[in-house]
């Protein structure tokens, strides 16, 4: 292969979801099959305990900020953080039926209609600043929890999100910690994950920031993508119901083998790129082990982690028999006191919109020496059926 040839496409690569086919550069993050996610060269495990705003600064500026720089960035976001009354009122007219991810995509479109200014960079910063309020308003409305509390961005990014939610369960310090962790882990996952790719594809036609993000969120809503965190939790709950709280490793192994024999899905394993346990999952497993080890769902999730991988590894056709991030995040949210699985994917979206918005700014305003990438237009080969 010539030195600058990155990838040779053969017919084998057609209809494989463009697996491994390079499409451009990503300036925010990378996913290595054996190391997993890094943001701007920093492994995710090293960033997981940081304040979300510090990590957003890193992704947005492509370098760590000093305390002062991050403080200024935070003040700028805080100034932008309040949605207009029109946006909030319109979100409260959305149907309460359907999955909340549909509502979240709708809420982003509404924000664009009421507040979009048609400048990718400004809209990126505005939307990042207002995402907690947009998501909280949508969840409060969809759940029937009422208007919620007014935004107080000075509380902190995820602290304010929790503050605005009018949830009936107590808002404990543990829940805030878990929400901060969840947010940081989900900001970005290189340029080719489905929602990011869709968002950038839509923006390449010069759709505005909010419309592109809304499209990205409809991509995230699918069960093979963001919705997997809700589905995995339901799987863990089902296993707990079937085996009981005192399940042993042998019970879980037996159950997994039975499911595989019956061609049933074992949720939470495998990834299109990764060939090791997702380091985001490792961080969450460690967190759960430290803080919630006695929780029945956590006990089951831990057994699934070890037994699932052991059994799946026996099948040489399975290229990634290891847990992905969704295997544990739903369980962690439940254990932390957020027992609302319908909103787990909205939490994913609240976080992921940050990375997508920053990647859209790069592709529209910086790529190719500032010309931006052209409209996406891959080639499909005609064949008769
Ligand atoms: C993600 O975080 O987007 C998922 O792990 C899916 C992916 O990377 O393709």
């Amino acid at each position: 292969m010539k030195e600058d040839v990155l990838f040779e496409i053969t017919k084998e690569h057609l209809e494989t979801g463009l697996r491994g086919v390079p499409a451009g550069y990503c300036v925010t993050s990378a996913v290595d099959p054996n190391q997993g996610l890094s943001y701007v060269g920093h492994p995710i495990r090293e960033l997981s305990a940081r304040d979300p705003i510090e990590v957003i600064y890193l992704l947005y500026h492509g370098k760590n900020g000093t305390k002062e720089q991050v403080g200024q960035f935070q003040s700028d976001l805080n100034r932008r953080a309040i949605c207009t009354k029109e946006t909030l009122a319109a979100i409260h007219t959305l149907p309460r039926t359907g999955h909340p991810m549909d509502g979240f995509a709708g809420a982003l479109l509404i924000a664009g209609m009421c507040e979009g200014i048609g400048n990718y960079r400004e809209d990126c910063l505005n939307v990042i600043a207002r995402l907690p309020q947009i998501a909280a308003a949508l969840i409060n409305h969809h759940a029937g929890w009422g208007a919620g509390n007014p935004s107080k961005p000075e509380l902190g990014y995820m602290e304010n999100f929790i503050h605005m939610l009018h949830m009936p369960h107590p808002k404990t310090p543990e829940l805030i910690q878990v929400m901060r962790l969840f947010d940081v882990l989900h900001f970005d996952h290189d340029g080719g994950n489905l929602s990011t790719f869709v968002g950038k594809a839509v923006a390449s036609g010069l759709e505005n920031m909010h419309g592109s993000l809304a499209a990205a969120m409809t991509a995230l809503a699918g069960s093979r993508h963001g919705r997997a965190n809700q589905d995995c939790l339901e799987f863990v709950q089902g296993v707990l119901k079937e085996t009981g709280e005192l399940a042993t490793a042998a019970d879980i192994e037996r159950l997994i083998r039975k499911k595989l024999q019956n061609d049933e899905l074992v949720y939470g394993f495998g990834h299109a790129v990764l060939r090791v346990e997702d380091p985001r999952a490792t961080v969450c497993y460690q967190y759960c082990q430290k803080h919630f080890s006695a929780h029945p769902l956590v006990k089951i999730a831990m057994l699934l982690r070890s037994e699932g991988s052991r059994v799946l590894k026996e099948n040489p056709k399975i290229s990634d028999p290891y847990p992905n991030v969704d295997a544990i995040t739903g369980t962690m949210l439940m254990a932390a006191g957020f027992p609302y699985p319908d909103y787990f994917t909205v939490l994913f979206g609240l976080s992921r919109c940050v990375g997508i918005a920053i990647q859209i700014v790069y592709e529209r305003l910086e790529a190719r020496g500032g010309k931006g990438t052209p409209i996406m237009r891959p080639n499909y080969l005609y064949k008769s059926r």
Side-chain angles (χ1 to χ4, degrees):
M1 229 168 29
K2 276 206 281 164
E3 214 176 88
D4 60 349
V5 175
L6 297 171
F7 193 87
E8 269 179 326
I9 296 192
T10 66
K11 285 194 174 162
E12 303 262 285
H13 295 106
L14 302 178
E15 301 189 335
T16 62
L18 297 175
R19 285 289 187 287
V21 179
Y25 294 102
C26 178
V27 295
T28 47
S29 67
V31 178
D32 179 272
N34 299 309
Q35 306 293 329
L37 175 63
S38 55
Y39 291 162
V40 196
H42 301 272
I44 191 65
R45 63 171 188 284
E46 289 174 13
L47 302 171
S48 59
R50 288 210 196 160
D51 185 84
I53 295 287
E54 237 181 278
V55 183
I56 296 173
Y57 183 101
L58 172 69
L59 293 168
Y60 184 78
H61 290 281
K63 56 178 190 228
N64 281 312
T66 61
K67 213 169 162 212
E68 203 176 39
Q69 287 167 328
V70 174
Q72 273 166 11
F73 185 64
Q74 171 131 38
S75 307
D76 180 36
L77 290 181
N78 288 359
R79 268 193 301 277
R80 299 169 182 267
I82 314 282
C83 292
T84 62
K85 283 199 186 93
E86 289 77 14
T87 299
L88 297 176
I91 291 174
H92 279 265
T93 64
L94 283 167
R96 291 181 51 220
T97 48
H99 194 275
M101 277 306 279
D102 295 339
F104 187 50
L108 284 163
L109 284 175
I110 287 170
M113 292 160 85
C114 299
E115 309 175 0
I117 55 174
N119 171 313
Y120 287 112
R121 198 175 287 283
E122 285 298 303
D123 281 332
C124 167
L125 290 169
N126 285 341
V127 88
I128 288 174
R130 292 171 203 173
L131 276 165
Q133 195 176 21
I134 295 170
L138 183 272
I139 293 174
N140 283 331
H141 169 63
H142 190 274
W145 294 342
N149 297 317
S151 178
K152 281 192 185 170
E154 65 277 12
L155 292 176
Y157 198 69
M158 291 308 281
E159 289 81 350
N160 187 30
F161 169 68
I162 297 289
H163 154 77
M164 287 183 279
L165 284 182
H166 216 204
M167 55 188 266
H169 279 78
K171 300 170 178 179
T172 61
E174 267 164 7
L175 177 60
I176 292 171
Q177 279 311 315
V178 164
M179 286 287 182
R180 283 164 54 99
L181 173 64
F182 185 99
D183 204 47
V184 167
L185 295 180
H186 288 82
F187 280 143
D188 213 39
H189 212 234
D190 90 29
N193 70 79
L194 182 67
S195 50
T196 305
F197 186 68
V198 166
K200 290 188 297 186
V202 171
S204 79
L206 300 188
E207 167 60 335
N208 61 42
M209 178 61 81
H210 292 80
S212 304
L213 291 176
M217 290 303 100
T218 63
L220 190 72
S223 55
R224 282 184 177 169
H225 194 12
R227 168 84 186 246
N229 60 9
Q230 179 178 358
D231 293 351
C232 284
L233 185 256
E234 283 161 15
F235 177 73
V236 179
Q237 286 173 320
V239 172
L240 173 62
K241 207 166 161 203
E242 220 170 310
T243 60
E245 241 186 82
L246 302 176
T248 62
D251 296 330
I252 299 294
E253 181 189 338
R254 219 172 299 119
L255 186 96
I256 292 170
R257 290 194 190 282
K258 192 177 90 187
K259 286 193 182 293
L260 293 174
Q261 261 158 24
N262 296 342
D263 278 336
E264 286 174 49
L265 275 179
V266 177
Y267 288 78
F269 293 87
H271 190 276
V273 179
L274 294 169
R275 297 294 172 262
V276 289
E277 180 173 284
D278 188 331
R280 298 172 298 175
T282 308
V283 168
C284 296
Y285 283 125
Q286 285 166 351
Y287 192 93
C288 285
Q289 194 66 56
K290 190 162 172 205
H291 297 276
F292 313 121
S293 61
H295 194 283
L297 287 170
V298 171
K299 286 187 193 164
I300 296 291
M302 291 297 176
L303 289 172
L304 281 169
R305 176 195 194 187
S306 55
E307 298 315 296
S309 287
R310 210 156 56 75
V311 174
L312 294 175
K313 270 187 206 166
E314 291 168 10
N315 182 347
K317 286 196 192 138
I318 298 180
S319 48
D320 178 27
Y322 300 101
N324 55 47
V325 71
D326 306 305
I328 182 65
T329 46
T331 293
M332 182 172 74
L333 288 165
M334 293 291 285
F338 190 79
Y340 311 109
D342 278 350
Y343 303 115
F344 289 177
T345 312
V346 176
L347 299 180
F348 192 155
L350 156 63
S351 170
R352 183 54 57 87
C353 278
V354 170
I356 302 175
I358 297 171
Q359 290 200 36
I360 287 175
V361 169
Y362 169 75
E363 287 220 344
R364 298 283 31 91
L365 305 178
E366 296 169 24
R368 301 205 309 158
K371 280 190 293 189
T373 58
I375 186 167
M376 284 208 191
R377 186 35 177 114
N379 183 21
Y380 278 69
L381 309 183
Y382 176 74
K383 94 168 183 185
S384 60
R385 265 186 267 171

